[in-house]
Amino acid sequence: MFRRTFWFTAGAAAGVWATTKVNRKLKQLTPESLAAQAANKAIEAGHRLKDFALDVRDGMAEREADLGEALGMNHHPDSELPAQRRFAVIENRSATKTDKHDSTNNKTKYLENTRYSYDRNEDH
């Protein structure tokens, strides 16, 4: 009697285990699951590519510095650039009778950072 109970329990447990394994595998093979797995692999590949590009850039900068030292080019190339241009903007004020004769009111105003270029076409 105990022998039959043991084998019945072992068979039931094996059946439950096999059913659970099959259901998990079937869930992994659904289209949604396959799409999620593909997206995860793509993200992983993107991270690996980014890391590779950063390593290449670091190696390139290091090699460039080594070559610069070997050739005696230690000065910074940006130090020879001219100063940033400033755009002249004339202040738009309505002229009064006193302003017409006062030459100090017609001063040119300089802007450091303009939002638009000085030759912007306002017609369109």
Side-chain angles (χ1 to χ4, degrees):
M1 172 103 166
F2 289 111
R3 190 181 219 181
R4 286 184 185 177
T5 307
F6 170 75
W7 287 113
F8 176 76
T9 307
V16 169
W17 176 78
T19 304
T20 305
K21 279 290 221 186
V22 168
N23 284 336
R24 283 184 186 164
K25 191 54 92 173
L26 286 175
K27 285 181 183 177
Q28 286 180 353
L29 296 175
T30 61
E32 294 87 12
S33 178
L34 290 175
Q37 288 175 11
N40 287 339
K41 293 289 183 180
I43 289 172
E44 220 174 280
H47 288 302
R48 287 182 186 157
L49 257 161
K50 181 182 175 185
D51 290 341
F52 175 72
L54 291 174
D55 288 343
V56 167
R57 188 176 68 179
D58 291 342
M60 193 169 53
E62 183 180 333
R63 180 66 178 146
E64 188 175 328
D66 291 344
L67 288 173
E69 285 179 20
L71 296 175
M73 300 170 32
N74 292 331
H75 70 283
H76 195 271
D78 290 340
S79 63
E80 298 173 2
L81 294 178
Q84 185 178 3
R85 294 178 67 187
R86 297 186 310 174
F87 296 104
V89 178
I90 298 175
E91 220 174 294
N92 186 11
R93 291 187 287 177
S94 59
T96 60
K97 289 182 180 180
T98 57
D99 288 342
K100 288 181 182 177
H101 301 294
D102 189 10
S103 63
T104 59
N105 286 335
N106 295 327
K107 289 185 178 180
T108 303
K109 180 180 174 184
Y110 289 99
L111 298 178
E112 291 297 324
N113 294 321
T114 60
R115 186 171 167 173
Y116 304 107
S117 64
Y118 60 91
D119 60 345
R120 182 171 176 233
N121 188 357
E122 297 289 338
D123 293 336
H124 60 298

Coordinates of all heavy atoms in Angstrom, one line a residue, residues 31-108:
P31 N 4.7 35.8 -29.1 CA 5.2 37.0 -29.8 C 5.6 38.1 -28.9 O 6.6 38.8 -29.2 CB 4.1 37.4 -30.7 CG 3.2 36.1 -30.9 CD 3.4 35.4 -29.6
E32 N 4.8 38.4 -27.9 CA 5.2 39.5 -27.0 C 6.5 39.2 -26.3 O 7.3 40.1 -26.1 CB 4.0 39.7 -26.0 CG 2.7 40.2 -26.5 CD 1.9 39.0 -27.0 OE1 2.2 37.9 -26.6 OE2 0.9 39.3 -27.7
S33 N 6.6 38.0 -25.8 CA 7.9 37.7 -25.1 C 9.1 37.7 -26.0 O 10.1 38.2 -25.7 CB 7.7 36.3 -24.5 OG 8.9 35.9 -23.8
L34 N 8.9 37.2 -27.2 CA 10.0 37.3 -28.2 C 10.4 38.7 -28.6 O 11.5 39.0 -28.7 CB 9.6 36.5 -29.5 CG 9.5 35.0 -29.3 CD1 9.0 34.3 -30.6 CD2 10.8 34.4 -28.9
A35 N 9.4 39.6 -28.7 CA 9.6 41.0 -29.0 C 10.4 41.6 -27.8 O 11.3 42.4 -28.0 CB 8.3 41.7 -29.2
A36 N 10.0 41.3 -26.6 CA 10.7 41.9 -25.4 C 12.1 41.4 -25.3 O 13.0 42.2 -25.0 CB 9.9 41.5 -24.1
Q37 N 12.3 40.1 -25.6 CA 13.7 39.6 -25.6 C 14.6 40.2 -26.7 O 15.7 40.6 -26.5 CB 13.7 38.1 -25.9 CG 13.1 37.3 -24.7 CD 13.0 35.8 -25.0 OE1 13.5 35.3 -26.0 NE2 12.3 35.1 -24.1
A38 N 14.0 40.4 -27.9 CA 14.7 41.1 -29.0 C 15.1 42.5 -28.6 O 16.2 43.0 -28.8 CB 13.9 41.1 -30.3
A39 N 14.1 43.2 -27.9 CA 14.4 44.6 -27.5 C 15.5 44.7 -26.5 O 16.3 45.5 -26.5 CB 13.1 45.2 -27.0
N40 N 15.5 43.7 -25.5 CA 16.5 43.7 -24.5 C 17.9 43.4 -25.1 O 18.9 44.0 -24.8 CB 16.2 42.6 -23.5 CG 15.1 43.0 -22.6 OD1 14.7 44.2 -22.5 ND2 14.4 42.0 -22.0
K41 N 17.9 42.5 -26.1 CA 19.2 42.2 -26.8 C 19.7 43.5 -27.6 O 20.9 43.7 -27.6 CB 19.0 41.0 -27.8 CG 18.8 39.7 -27.1 CD 20.0 39.2 -26.3 CE 19.7 37.9 -25.7 NZ 20.8 37.4 -25.0
A42 N 18.7 44.2 -28.2 CA 19.1 45.4 -28.9 C 19.7 46.5 -28.0 O 20.7 47.1 -28.3 CB 17.9 45.9 -29.7
I43 N 19.0 46.6 -26.9 CA 19.5 47.6 -25.9 C 20.9 47.2 -25.4 O 21.8 48.1 -25.3 CB 18.5 47.8 -24.7 CG1 17.3 48.5 -25.2 CG2 19.1 48.5 -23.6 CD1 16.1 48.5 -24.2
E44 N 21.1 45.9 -25.1 CA 22.4 45.4 -24.7 C 23.5 45.7 -25.7 O 24.6 46.1 -25.4 CB 22.2 43.9 -24.4 CG 23.0 43.4 -23.2 CD 22.6 41.9 -23.0 OE1 21.6 41.7 -22.5 OE2 23.5 41.1 -23.4
A45 N 23.1 45.4 -27.0 CA 24.1 45.6 -28.1 C 24.4 47.1 -28.2 O 25.5 47.5 -28.5 CB 23.5 45.1 -29.4
G46 N 23.4 48.0 -28.0 CA 23.6 49.4 -28.1 C 24.6 49.9 -27.0 O 25.4 50.7 -27.2
H47 N 24.4 49.4 -25.8 CA 25.3 49.7 -24.7 C 26.7 49.2 -25.0 O 27.7 50.0 -24.7 CB 24.8 49.1 -23.4 CG 23.6 49.8 -22.8 ND1 23.5 51.1 -22.5 CD2 22.4 49.3 -22.5 CE1 22.4 51.4 -22.0 NE2 21.6 50.3 -22.0
R48 N 26.8 48.1 -25.6 CA 28.2 47.6 -25.9 C 28.8 48.4 -27.0 O 30.0 48.7 -26.9 CB 28.1 46.1 -26.4 CG 27.8 45.1 -25.3 CD 27.8 43.7 -25.8 NE 27.4 42.8 -24.7 CZ 26.9 41.6 -24.9 NH1 26.8 41.2 -26.2 NH2 26.6 40.8 -23.9
L49 N 28.0 48.8 -28.0 CA 28.5 49.7 -29.0 C 29.0 51.1 -28.5 O 30.0 51.6 -28.9 CB 27.5 49.9 -30.1 CG 27.7 49.1 -31.4 CD1 26.4 49.0 -32.1 CD2 28.8 49.7 -32.2
K50 N 28.2 51.6 -27.6 CA 28.5 52.9 -26.9 C 29.8 52.8 -26.2 O 30.7 53.7 -26.3 CB 27.4 53.3 -26.0 CG 27.6 54.7 -25.4 CD 26.5 55.0 -24.5 CE 26.8 56.3 -23.7 NZ 25.8 56.6 -22.7
D51 N 30.0 51.7 -25.4 CA 31.2 51.5 -24.6 C 32.4 51.4 -25.6 O 33.5 51.9 -25.3 CB 31.1 50.3 -23.7 CG 30.1 50.4 -22.6 OD1 29.8 51.6 -22.3 OD2 29.6 49.4 -22.0
F52 N 32.2 50.6 -26.7 CA 33.3 50.5 -27.6 C 33.7 51.8 -28.2 O 34.9 52.2 -28.3 CB 32.9 49.5 -28.7 CG 33.9 49.4 -29.8 CD1 35.1 48.7 -29.6 CD2 33.6 50.0 -31.1 CE1 36.0 48.6 -30.7 CE2 34.6 49.9 -32.1 CZ 35.7 49.2 -31.9
A53 N 32.7 52.6 -28.6 CA 32.9 54.0 -29.2 C 33.7 54.9 -28.2 O 34.6 55.6 -28.5 CB 31.7 54.6 -29.6
L54 N 33.3 54.8 -26.9 CA 34.0 55.6 -25.9 C 35.4 55.1 -25.7 O 36.3 56.0 -25.5 CB 33.2 55.5 -24.6 CG 31.8 56.2 -24.5 CD1 31.1 56.0 -23.2 CD2 32.0 57.7 -24.8
D55 N 35.6 53.8 -25.7 CA 37.0 53.3 -25.6 C 37.8 53.7 -26.8 O 39.0 54.1 -26.6 CB 37.0 51.8 -25.5 CG 36.5 51.3 -24.2 OD1 36.4 52.1 -23.2 OD2 36.1 50.1 -24.1
V56 N 37.3 53.7 -28.0 CA 38.0 54.1 -29.2 C 38.3 55.6 -29.1 O 39.5 56.0 -29.4 CB 37.2 53.8 -30.5 CG1 37.8 54.5 -31.7 CG2 37.1 52.3 -30.7
R57 N 37.4 56.4 -28.7 CA 37.6 57.9 -28.5 C 38.7 58.2 -27.5 O 39.6 59.0 -27.7 CB 36.3 58.6 -28.2 CG 36.4 60.1 -28.2 CD 35.2 60.8 -27.9 NE 34.8 60.5 -26.6 CZ 33.7 61.0 -26.0 NH1 32.9 61.7 -26.7 NH2 33.5 60.8 -24.7
D58 N 38.7 57.4 -26.4 CA 39.7 57.7 -25.4 C 41.1 57.2 -25.9 O 42.1 58.0 -25.7 CB 39.4 56.9 -24.1 CG 38.2 57.4 -23.4 OD1 37.8 58.6 -23.6 OD2 37.6 56.7 -22.5
G59 N 41.1 56.1 -26.6 CA 42.4 55.7 -27.1 C 42.9 56.6 -28.2 O 44.1 56.9 -28.3
M60 N 42.0 57.2 -29.0 CA 42.4 58.1 -30.0 C 42.9 59.4 -29.4 O 43.9 59.9 -29.9 CB 41.1 58.4 -30.9 CG 41.4 59.1 -32.2 SD 40.0 59.2 -33.3 CE 38.7 59.9 -32.2
A61 N 42.3 59.9 -28.4 CA 42.8 61.1 -27.7 C 44.1 60.8 -27.1 O 45.0 61.7 -27.1 CB 41.8 61.6 -26.7
E62 N 44.3 59.7 -26.5 CA 45.6 59.4 -25.9 C 46.7 59.3 -26.9 O 47.8 59.8 -26.7 CB 45.4 58.0 -25.1 CG 46.7 57.6 -24.4 CD 46.5 56.3 -23.7 OE1 45.4 56.0 -23.3 OE2 47.5 55.6 -23.5
R63 N 46.4 58.6 -28.0 CA 47.4 58.5 -29.1 C 47.7 59.8 -29.7 O 48.8 60.1 -30.0 CB 46.8 57.5 -30.2 CG 47.8 57.3 -31.3 CD 49.0 56.6 -30.9 NE 49.9 56.3 -32.0 CZ 51.2 56.3 -32.0 NH1 51.8 56.5 -30.8 NH2 51.9 56.1 -33.1
E64 N 46.7 60.7 -29.9 CA 46.9 62.0 -30.4 C 47.8 62.8 -29.5 O 48.7 63.5 -29.9 CB 45.6 62.7 -30.6 CG 45.7 64.0 -31.3 CD 44.3 64.6 -31.6 OE1 43.3 63.8 -31.8 OE2 44.2 65.8 -31.6
A65 N 47.6 62.7 -28.2 CA 48.4 63.4 -27.2 C 49.9 62.9 -27.3 O 50.8 63.6 -27.2 CB 47.9 63.2 -25.8
D66 N 50.0 61.5 -27.4 CA 51.4 61.0 -27.5 C 52.1 61.5 -28.8 O 53.2 61.8 -28.7 CB 51.3 59.4 -27.6 CG 50.9 58.8 -26.2 OD1 50.9 59.6 -25.2 OD2 50.5 57.6 -26.3
L67 N 51.3 61.5 -29.9 CA 51.9 62.0 -31.1 C 52.3 63.5 -31.0 O 53.3 64.0 -31.5 CB 51.0 61.8 -32.3 CG 50.9 60.3 -32.8 CD1 49.8 60.2 -33.8 CD2 52.2 59.8 -33.3
G68 N 51.4 64.3 -30.3 CA 51.7 65.7 -30.1 C 52.9 65.9 -29.3 O 53.7 66.8 -29.6
E69 N 53.1 65.1 -28.3 CA 54.3 65.2 -27.5 C 55.6 64.8 -28.3 O 56.6 65.5 -28.2 CB 54.2 64.4 -26.3 CG 53.3 64.9 -25.2 CD 53.2 64.0 -24.0 OE1 54.1 63.1 -23.8 OE2 52.3 64.1 -23.2
A70 N 55.4 63.8 -29.1 CA 56.6 63.3 -29.9 C 56.9 64.3 -31.0 O 58.1 64.5 -31.3 CB 56.2 62.0 -30.6
L71 N 56.0 65.1 -31.5 CA 56.3 66.0 -32.6 C 56.5 67.4 -32.0 O 56.8 68.4 -32.8 CB 55.1 66.1 -33.6 CG 54.9 64.8 -34.4 CD1 53.6 64.9 -35.2 CD2 56.1 64.5 -35.2
G72 N 56.3 67.6 -30.7 CA 56.6 68.9 -30.1 C 55.5 69.9 -30.3 O 55.7 71.1 -30.3
M73 N 54.3 69.4 -30.5 CA 53.1 70.3 -30.7 C 52.3 70.4 -29.3 O 51.3 69.8 -29.2 CB 52.2 69.8 -31.8 CG 53.0 69.7 -33.1 SD 52.1 68.8 -34.4 CE 50.4 69.1 -34.1
N74 N 52.8 71.2 -28.4 CA 52.2 71.2 -27.1 C 51.3 72.4 -26.9 O 50.6 72.5 -25.9 CB 53.3 71.3 -26.0 CG 54.0 70.0 -25.9 OD1 53.5 68.9 -26.3 ND2 55.3 70.1 -25.5
H75 N 51.2 73.3 -27.9 CA 50.3 74.5 -27.7 C 48.9 74.1 -28.0 O 48.7 73.2 -28.8 CB 50.8 75.7 -28.5 CG 50.6 75.5 -30.0 ND1 51.5 74.6 -30.8 CD2 49.7 75.9 -30.9 CE1 51.0 74.6 -32.0 NE2 50.0 75.4 -32.1
H76 N 48.0 74.9 -27.5 CA 46.6 74.6 -27.7 C 46.1 75.3 -28.9 O 46.3 76.5 -29.1 CB 45.8 75.1 -26.5 CG 44.4 74.6 -26.4 ND1 43.4 75.3 -27.0 CD2 43.8 73.5 -25.9 CE1 42.2 74.6 -26.8 NE2 42.5 73.5 -26.1
P77 N 45.5 74.7 -29.9 CA 45.1 75.3 -31.2 C 44.1 76.4 -31.0 O 44.0 77.3 -31.8 CB 44.6 74.1 -32.0 CG 44.2 73.1 -31.1 CD 45.1 73.3 -29.9
D78 N 43.2 76.3 -30.0 CA 42.2 77.4 -29.9 C 42.7 78.7 -29.4 O 42.0 79.7 -29.4 CB 41.1 76.9 -28.9 CG 40.3 75.7 -29.4 OD1 40.3 75.6 -30.7 OD2 39.6 75.0 -28.7
S79 N 43.9 78.7 -28.9 CA 44.5 80.0 -28.4 C 44.7 81.0 -29.5 O 44.9 82.2 -29.3 CB 45.8 79.7 -27.6 OG 46.7 79.2 -28.5
E80 N 44.8 80.5 -30.8 CA 45.1 81.4 -31.9 C 43.8 82.0 -32.6 O 43.9 82.7 -33.5 CB 45.9 80.7 -33.0 CG 47.2 80.2 -32.4 CD 48.0 79.3 -33.4 OE1 47.4 79.1 -34.5 OE2 49.1 78.9 -33.1
L81 N 42.6 81.6 -32.1 CA 41.4 82.0 -32.7 C 41.1 83.4 -32.3 O 41.4 83.9 -31.2 CB 40.2 81.1 -32.3 CG 40.3 79.7 -32.8 CD1 39.1 78.9 -32.2 CD2 40.3 79.6 -34.3
P82 N 40.4 84.2 -33.2 CA 40.1 85.6 -32.8 C 38.9 85.6 -31.8 O 38.3 84.6 -31.6 CB 39.6 86.2 -34.2 CG 39.2 85.0 -35.0 CD 40.1 83.9 -34.5
A83 N 38.7 86.8 -31.2 CA 37.7 86.9 -30.3 C 36.3 86.8 -31.0 O 36.2 87.0 -32.2 CB 37.7 88.3 -29.6
Q84 N 35.3 86.4 -30.2 CA 34.0 86.2 -30.7 C 33.4 87.6 -31.2 O 33.6 88.6 -30.6 CB 33.1 85.7 -29.6 CG 31.7 85.3 -30.1 CD 30.8 84.7 -29.0 OE1 31.3 84.6 -27.9 NE2 29.6 84.3 -29.4
R85 N 32.7 87.5 -32.4 CA 32.1 88.7 -33.0 C 30.9 89.2 -32.2 O 30.2 88.4 -31.6 CB 31.7 88.4 -34.4 CG 32.8 88.1 -35.3 CD 32.3 87.8 -36.7 NE 31.7 88.9 -37.3 CZ 31.1 88.9 -38.4 NH1 31.0 87.8 -39.1 NH2 30.6 90.0 -38.9
R86 N 30.7 90.5 -32.2 CA 29.5 91.0 -31.5 C 28.7 91.7 -32.6 O 29.3 92.3 -33.6 CB 29.9 92.1 -30.5 CG 30.7 91.5 -29.3 CD 31.0 92.4 -28.2 NE 31.5 93.7 -28.7 CZ 31.7 94.8 -28.0 NH1 31.4 94.8 -26.7 NH2 32.2 95.9 -28.5
F87 N 27.4 91.7 -32.5 CA 26.6 92.3 -33.5 C 26.1 93.6 -33.0 O 25.7 93.8 -31.9 CB 25.3 91.4 -33.7 CG 25.7 90.1 -34.3 CD1 25.7 88.9 -33.5 CD2 26.0 90.0 -35.6 CE1 26.0 87.7 -34.1 CE2 26.4 88.7 -36.2 CZ 26.3 87.6 -35.4
A88 N 26.2 94.6 -33.9 CA 25.8 96.0 -33.6 C 24.3 96.1 -33.8 O 23.8 95.7 -34.8 CB 26.5 97.0 -34.4
V89 N 23.5 96.5 -32.8 CA 22.1 96.7 -32.9 C 21.8 98.1 -32.5 O 22.2 98.6 -31.4 CB 21.4 95.7 -32.0 CG1 19.9 95.9 -32.0 CG2 21.7 94.3 -32.3
I90 N 21.1 98.8 -33.3 CA 20.7 100.2 -33.0 C 19.4 100.2 -32.2 O 18.5 99.5 -32.6 CB 20.6 101.1 -34.3 CG1 22.0 101.1 -35.0 CG2 20.1 102.5 -34.0 CD1 21.9 101.8 -36.3
E91 N 19.4 100.9 -31.1 CA 18.2 100.9 -30.3 C 17.1 101.6 -31.0 O 17.2 102.6 -31.7 CB 18.6 101.7 -29.0 CG 18.0 101.1 -27.8 CD 18.5 101.9 -26.6 OE1 19.7 101.8 -26.3 OE2 17.6 102.5 -25.9
N92 N 15.9 101.0 -30.9 CA 14.7 101.5 -31.6 C 13.9 102.3 -30.6 O 13.2 101.8 -29.8 CB 13.9 100.3 -32.1 CG 12.7 100.7 -33.0 OD1 12.6 101.9 -33.4 ND2 11.8 99.8 -33.3
R93 N 14.1 103.6 -30.8 CA 13.3 104.5 -29.9 C 12.6 105.6 -30.8 O 13.1 105.9 -31.8 CB 14.2 105.3 -28.9 CG 14.8 104.4 -27.9 CD 15.6 105.1 -26.9 NE 16.8 105.6 -27.5 CZ 17.7 106.4 -26.9 NH1 17.5 106.8 -25.7 NH2 18.8 106.8 -27.5
S94 N 11.5 106.0 -30.3 CA 10.8 107.1 -31.1 C 11.5 108.4 -30.8 O 11.8 108.7 -29.7 CB 9.3 107.1 -30.7 OG 9.2 107.4 -29.3
A95 N 11.8 109.1 -31.9 CA 12.6 110.3 -31.7 C 11.6 111.5 -31.4 O 10.6 111.7 -31.9 CB 13.2 110.6 -33.1
T96 N 12.1 112.3 -30.4 CA 11.4 113.5 -30.0 C 12.2 114.7 -30.5 O 13.3 114.5 -31.1 CB 11.2 113.5 -28.5 OG1 12.5 113.5 -27.9 CG2 10.4 112.4 -28.0
K97 N 11.7 115.8 -30.3 CA 12.4 117.0 -30.8 C 13.8 117.2 -30.1 O 14.7 117.6 -30.7 CB 11.5 118.3 -30.6 CG 10.4 118.3 -31.5 CD 9.6 119.6 -31.2 CE 8.4 119.6 -32.2 NZ 7.6 120.8 -32.0
T98 N 13.8 116.8 -28.8 CA 15.1 116.9 -28.1 C 16.1 115.8 -28.6 O 17.3 116.1 -28.6 CB 14.9 116.9 -26.6 OG1 14.3 115.7 -26.3 CG2 14.1 118.1 -26.1
D99 N 15.5 114.7 -28.9 CA 16.4 113.6 -29.3 C 17.0 113.8 -30.7 O 18.1 113.4 -31.0 CB 15.6 112.3 -29.4 CG 15.2 111.7 -28.0 OD1 15.9 112.2 -27.1 OD2 14.3 110.9 -27.9
K100 N 16.3 114.6 -31.6 CA 16.9 114.8 -32.9 C 18.2 115.6 -32.8 O 19.1 115.5 -33.6 CB 15.9 115.6 -33.8 CG 14.7 114.7 -34.2 CD 13.8 115.5 -35.0 CE 12.6 114.6 -35.4 NZ 11.6 115.4 -36.2
H101 N 18.3 116.5 -31.9 CA 19.4 117.4 -31.8 C 20.5 116.8 -30.8 O 21.6 117.3 -30.8 CB 19.0 118.8 -31.3 CG 18.0 119.4 -32.2 ND1 18.4 119.8 -33.5 CD2 16.7 119.7 -32.1 CE1 17.3 120.3 -34.1 NE2 16.3 120.3 -33.3
D102 N 20.1 115.8 -30.1 CA 21.0 115.3 -29.1 C 21.7 114.1 -29.7 O 21.1 113.1 -30.0 CB 20.3 114.8 -27.8 CG 21.2 114.4 -26.7 OD1 22.4 114.7 -26.8 OD2 20.7 113.9 -25.7
S103 N 23.0 114.2 -30.0 CA 23.8 113.2 -30.6 C 24.2 112.0 -29.7 O 24.5 110.9 -30.1 CB 25.0 113.7 -31.3 OG 25.9 114.2 -30.2
T104 N 24.0 112.2 -28.4 CA 24.4 111.1 -27.5 C 23.3 110.0 -27.4 O 23.6 108.9 -26.9 CB 24.6 111.7 -26.0 OG1 23.4 112.3 -25.6 CG2 25.8 112.7 -26.0
N105 N 22.1 110.3 -27.8 CA 21.1 109.3 -27.8 C 21.2 108.3 -28.9 O 20.5 107.3 -28.9 CB 19.7 110.0 -27.8 CG 19.4 110.7 -26.5 OD1 19.9 110.3 -25.5 ND2 18.5 111.7 -26.5
N106 N 21.9 108.6 -30.0 CA 22.0 107.7 -31.1 C 23.3 106.8 -31.0 O 24.1 106.8 -31.9 CB 22.1 108.5 -32.4 CG 20.8 109.2 -32.6 OD1 19.7 108.7 -32.3 ND2 20.8 110.4 -33.2
K107 N 23.4 106.2 -29.9 CA 24.6 105.3 -29.7 C 24.3 103.9 -30.2 O 23.1 103.4 -30.2 CB 24.9 105.2 -28.2 CG 25.5 106.5 -27.6 CD 25.9 106.3 -26.2 CE 26.5 107.6 -25.7 NZ 26.9 107.4 -24.3
T108 N 25.3 103.2 -30.6 CA 25.2 101.8 -31.0 C 25.3 100.9 -29.8 O 26.1 101.1 -29.0 CB 26.3 101.5 -32.0 OG1 26.2 102.4 -33.1 CG2 26.2 100.1 -32.5

